[in-house]
Amino acid sequence: MTLQRRSQIPVKGAGVVLFNPKTKGIHHADQLLRIGITGSGINLKQRARLFKRACLHQIASLFHIGKGRQGQQDQRKNKLFHLGAIILGLWPTGGAADPLTLADFPPVDQDQAALGQLLFYDKILSGNRNISCGTCHHPSFGGSDGLALGVGEGGAGLGTERTTGAGPHQITRRLPRNAPALWNLGARSVKTLMHDGRISTSDIYGNGFNTPAEEWLPQGLNSLLAAQALFPLTSEVEMAGDVEENEVAGAVNQRIAYGWPIIAKRVRTIPAYGEQFVTAFDHITRPEDVTIVDIANAIAAFITVEFRSIDSPYDRALAGDMTAMNAVEQRGRDLFFGKARCASCHNGPLFTDQSFHALGVPPIGPGRTRKFDLIARDVGRMGKSNLLEDAYRFRTPSLRNVAITAPYGHNGVYPTLRAMITHHNNPRLGFMQFAPENVVLPTATGLYEDDLAIWQNSREIENQRAAILPMELGLTETEISELEAFLGALTGDSVNNLPFGVPSSVPSGLPVDTGRAR
């Protein structure tokens, strides 16, 4: 089979595919019928490689030779349906993301996940025993906290009702970035985490990951998600507290790795936890064997199961239910993969390229500053890569369940999904028309007069404006509504019926942020 550009040949023969050099895709859906899939002299693996060279990745994946597990078979059936729908004209030729199935996730031990649930909501992991992972990543707020910039260690309450606290532990600054939701972070394809990508899979330090802990990250973490779970525990503003307040923060101040054994000892000396670790992990024969690695692996197991979402109307449509989405959602889907060009960055089963882009989300708050930054700015990916071309670029978020994870942007400045879509329509205009009064932030009299201080620095604002990706989509108000409807169709049916939910109590006896029903 040969692949040639449209301008070079007429359509002749069963072995020719029209190839559009601009889109690197199929020029007309009916040309798929001209591919000689059953031709002789070429095996399945060779065909797959050939399709991949032609950028027809979804077709190539149909020829993947797997081990035949049921999940993999179901995934290939879904892809075959998608291909057939394109051929028959039932699906827009603009494209569609691949389906997300159980086969995209690693197997999880349920005992470890159940243990992780308790740890996730237990404040024993924080320096001052006053905040848990679940405080800022709560199912009542779509796996986040509902705030533009979170209130970490020292705050009081949950979600949009959380305050900056009182007394000696009252916070002195907000978290620099929005708390991301946790949906599908346990998927195998996730290779980079955090808004600036500072946690990723890598062999650079010999422990499997590239993280701020560098070579001090302990060995034995079984996933990127487990590696990430360790870092809020060491952050002064997230969970550790101030240096003079507790032994965890004091130890972290000397070296990041010194705080983790203290936390592990706290956990394993609670009898109920010690017994559950012995039951859940084969290599643990007594509570004294429990380390921070086991704690992180249990939390990762819980997040992988609890926040897995693969049952949205869009998923049902990919599986063959052509009535799963209504007409408005379908028009939004066509815009997403067509005129609005959303899929250029939000692609694949998770609707993210896991890359970094300067979209010009307006700056606010303290910023994630570097040691030599004298102003409250956030340079995004450049803070990790030290490359000037990465300035103000942030990681493309997944869009699954995006409708329930407000507010939006790396610093949460947009309170509604519609406002975020409108910004995408013309990022430079959105940057300059930013309305700070719409930002969802707890009031803190006398503490945060500098939330908008960066806007007084005209040079920095111009630097950020100049870095914005040039884009004017020309979407109408109706089209924005249709896109919003489609993004709503990415919300999983089971978000209100999670496998574990929030426990009523935890082994430490500390209070649990139970939240509210969605």
Side-chain angles (χ1 to χ4, degrees):
M1 183 181 77
T2 59
L3 292 167
Q4 301 184 34
R5 297 180 185 271
R6 180 179 176 85
S7 60
Q8 293 176 319
I9 58 168
V11 179
K12 292 181 180 180
V16 175
V17 175
L18 286 184
F19 185 71
N20 187 332
K22 293 183 179 180
T23 63
K24 297 183 179 180
I26 298 165
H27 192 79
H28 292 299
D30 62 350
Q31 297 308 316
L32 281 168
L33 296 174
R34 299 180 182 273
I35 300 175
I37 292 178
T38 59
S40 60
I42 180 169
N43 62 37
L44 292 177
K45 289 184 178 180
Q46 290 172 324
R47 288 174 205 163
R49 287 195 295 269
L50 186 58
F51 280 125
K52 285 180 180 178
R53 294 192 191 104
C55 299
L56 306 179
H57 298 288
Q58 287 178 291
I59 301 173
S61 66
L62 298 177
F63 299 100
H64 172 69
I65 307 300
K67 295 181 180 180
R69 291 195 295 267
Q70 185 61 44
Q72 293 173 325
Q73 292 173 346
D74 291 343
Q75 188 175 27
R76 285 197 290 274
K77 287 179 182 178
N78 287 340
K79 291 181 178 180
L80 281 168
F81 165 77
H82 177 211
L83 175 59
I86 293 176
I87 294 173
L88 297 175
L90 299 175
W91 200 269
T93 57
D98 291 337
L100 187 67
T101 72
L102 286 175
D104 292 302
F105 295 82
V108 173
D109 184 285
Q110 290 300 309
D111 288 338
Q112 294 177 17
L115 176 55
Q117 177 213 21
L118 299 175
L119 293 165
F120 185 85
Y121 290 102
D122 200 331
K123 297 177 181 179
I124 193 70
L125 298 185
S126 63
N128 291 317
R129 297 175 174 85
N130 60 2
I131 189 172
S132 71
C133 305
T135 304
C136 294
H137 301 281
H138 203 280
S140 294
F141 298 92
S144 183
D145 61 2
L147 299 173
L149 301 174
V151 176
E153 200 284 331
L158 185 67
T160 53
E161 297 179 356
R162 189 166 174 79
T163 70
T164 54
H169 297 313
Q170 182 178 16
I171 69 169
T172 56
R173 57 188 171 124
R174 306 187 197 278
L175 297 183
R177 291 176 179 159
N178 179 255
L182 305 178
W183 301 107
N184 296 317
L185 293 186
R188 288 191 178 96
S189 61
V190 176
K191 303 299 181 184
T192 304
L193 292 175
M194 313 304 282
H195 291 293
D196 56 10
R198 65 185 182 277
I199 297 178
S200 61
T201 56
S202 172
D203 291 327
I204 187 172
Y205 296 113
N207 50 34
F209 307 99
N210 184 354
T211 74
E214 299 181 346
E215 73 272 21
W216 299 111
L217 191 75
Q219 298 281 347
L221 296 164
N222 61 17
S223 67
L224 182 65
L225 194 52
Q228 186 278 329
L230 293 181
F231 289 92
L233 311 182
T234 65
S235 169
E236 174 185 331
V237 295
E238 291 184 65
M239 294 181 72
D242 292 332
V243 172
E244 68 277 6
E245 291 180 334
N246 62 77
E247 70 278 17
V248 174
V252 170
N253 187 56
Q254 297 179 55
R255 180 176 292 168
I256 190 170
Y258 289 170
W260 290 322
I262 298 173
I263 297 171
K265 183 177 180 180
R266 282 187 186 179
V267 171
R268 66 173 176 254
T269 53
I270 297 174
Y273 273 134
E275 293 172 6
Q276 288 191 57
F277 271 101
V278 171
T279 300
F281 290 88
D282 291 339
H283 68 277
I284 297 177
T285 58
R286 55 179 189 158
E288 291 81 359
D289 297 334
V290 177
T291 70
I292 197 66
V293 170
D294 305 310
I295 292 171
N297 286 340
I299 293 174
F302 165 69
I303 295 174
T304 298
V305 173
E306 184 80 341
F307 293 95
R308 182 169 55 209
S309 183
I310 59 176
D311 59 353
S312 69
Y314 180 77
D315 290 304
R316 294 201 303 276
L318 283 181
D321 183 358
M322 302 309 293
T323 65
M325 296 192 298
N326 62 38
V328 177
E329 293 165 344
Q330 291 175 20
R331 289 196 296 271
R333 175 199 61 199
D334 295 347
L335 286 165
F336 186 95
F337 292 106
K339 175 183 177 181
R341 298 168 15 211
C342 308
S344 60
C345 300
H346 294 282
N347 49 52
L350 298 176
F351 287 85
T352 172
D353 59 5
Q354 300 190 59
S355 189
F356 305 88
H357 306 279
L359 196 63
V361 173
I364 191 174
R368 185 174 176 82
T369 57
R370 297 170 295 173
K371 291 181 179 180
F372 45 83
D373 277 329
L374 301 179
I375 56 177
R377 69 172 182 170
D378 193 332
V379 297
R381 179 61 175 169
M382 189 175 80
K384 170 63 178 177
S385 71
N386 291 318
L387 298 174
L388 187 60
E389 59 264 33
D390 283 337
Y392 314 114
R393 292 182 178 179
F394 294 88
R395 184 179 182 271
T396 305
S398 170
L399 296 183
R400 286 183 170 272
N401 294 335
V402 67
I404 64 171
T405 62
Y408 303 97
H410 69 273
N411 52 12
V413 295
Y414 288 115
T416 67
L417 190 53
R418 186 180 188 87
M420 188 76 251
I421 298 171
T422 300
H423 178 89
H424 279 72
N425 196 25
N426 190 331
R428 289 185 174 177
L429 181 63
F431 183 86
M432 298 312 299
Q433 292 185 344
F434 170 55
E437 63 271 16
N438 294 328
V439 179
V440 182
L441 286 172
T443 57
T445 304
L447 291 178
Y448 298 119
E449 292 85 353
D450 61 345
D451 270 348
L452 298 173
I454 192 67
W455 288 90
Q456 305 304 315
N457 190 319
S458 58
R459 177 174 294 181
E460 175 63 17
I461 291 299
E462 176 56 27
N463 286 341
Q464 295 197 28
R465 189 198 66 78
I468 298 173
L469 183 71
M471 182 169 62
E472 294 184 27
L473 300 177
L475 299 173
T476 67
E477 290 298 315
T478 297
E479 288 173 328
I480 290 174
S481 296
E482 291 168 344
L483 272 174
E484 185 178 11
F486 170 65
L487 294 179
L490 300 180
T491 302
D493 297 334
S494 60
V495 296
N496 295 317
N497 187 26
L498 299 176
F500 287 96
V502 182
S504 58
S505 62
V506 290
S508 70
L510 293 169
V512 176
D513 293 320
T514 54
R516 54 175 170 77
R518 289 196 55 82

